[in-house]
Amino acid sequence: MNDHDRNDRDSLLAAAVALRAEGRREEARQRLLALCAAFPDDATVAYQTAWAHDVLGLEAEAVPFYERALTGAGLTEEDRQGALLGLGSTYRVLGQYEKAVRTLREGVGQFPGDGALRTFLAMALFNTGAHHEAMRLLLELLASGSTDPSVREYHEAITHYAQDLHATV
């Protein structure tokens, strides 16, 4: 891509993202679809297009754009994190639970500190019947991030029991 094309792409992408932020979601989606047609190998454009579909409740239409974004090159770490979360949560809401678990596990593996990825992974695990692992993830997240004084007081016990909810003395 030459500098002129890059500048055009950047300004058109910024304008479409601004439209989405202003609540002009359908207009943003249309502009992003045109950008995807003009820049089919651009992972960032694909990610923003996926997001534009997701916010309109067009989850099934978002999937191929998320997939294109994640297989392409050039996503920032922040956008890669968002694309993994977006695709995983979209698979889950579409009932594609195994794909959701795989995608969200990949996200947690790459971004272990992301509580949203771990939360959505727990939901997808629940959907696949992996209730113990789902509960463990949520309890660990609760123990590590809660500001509730009583939860903080029992941080050690919650973390310990999260490992095996069936443990007794």
Side-chain angles (χ1 to χ4, degrees):
M1 182 180 333
N2 65 42
D3 287 342
H4 182 267
D5 288 344
R6 168 66 63 189
N7 289 338
D8 284 350
R9 175 256 189 212
D10 291 349
S11 64
L12 291 169
L13 182 60
V17 170
L19 286 171
R20 186 186 66 228
E22 293 167 9
R24 296 164 60 186
R25 296 173 175 171
E26 180 55 34
E27 189 177 347
R29 185 179 79 88
Q30 292 301 323
R31 288 197 187 186
L32 286 161
L33 285 169
L35 264 174
C36 263
F39 301 97
D41 297 326
D42 191 307
T44 302
V45 170
Y47 170 56
Q48 292 298 331
T49 305
W51 191 357
H53 283 83
D54 242 355
V55 299
L56 286 168
L58 303 171
E59 289 87 357
E61 292 88 343
V63 168
F65 294 106
Y66 279 129
E67 291 171 340
R68 187 187 314 175
L70 288 166
T71 57
L75 280 182
T76 65
E77 285 295 299
E78 182 181 352
D79 284 352
R80 180 160 185 76
Q81 191 171 356
L84 286 163
L85 177 61
L87 181 58
S89 65
T90 297
Y91 279 148
R92 194 192 76 74
V93 80
L94 292 172
Q96 298 177 23
Y97 303 130
E98 296 296 335
K99 285 182 176 182
V101 168
R102 273 195 310 277
T103 303
L104 293 163
R105 276 194 199 284
E106 180 182 347
V108 168
Q110 291 178 29
F111 305 99
D114 186 312
L117 278 164
R118 291 186 303 181
T119 301
F120 278 90
L121 175 57
M123 287 187 269
L125 287 165
F126 175 86
N127 294 127
T128 63
H131 302 130
H132 190 271
E133 185 179 359
M135 188 70 166
R136 179 185 55 77
L137 281 171
L138 291 177
L139 286 171
E140 288 172 349
L141 190 60
L142 176 69
S144 68
S146 179
T147 58
D148 182 300
S150 58
V151 172
R152 300 294 318 147
E153 183 179 346
Y154 289 98
H155 171 269
E156 255 183 71
I158 294 168
T159 302
H160 172 76
Y161 292 125
Q163 299 310 307
D164 184 2
L165 291 169
H166 296 293
T168 59
V169 290

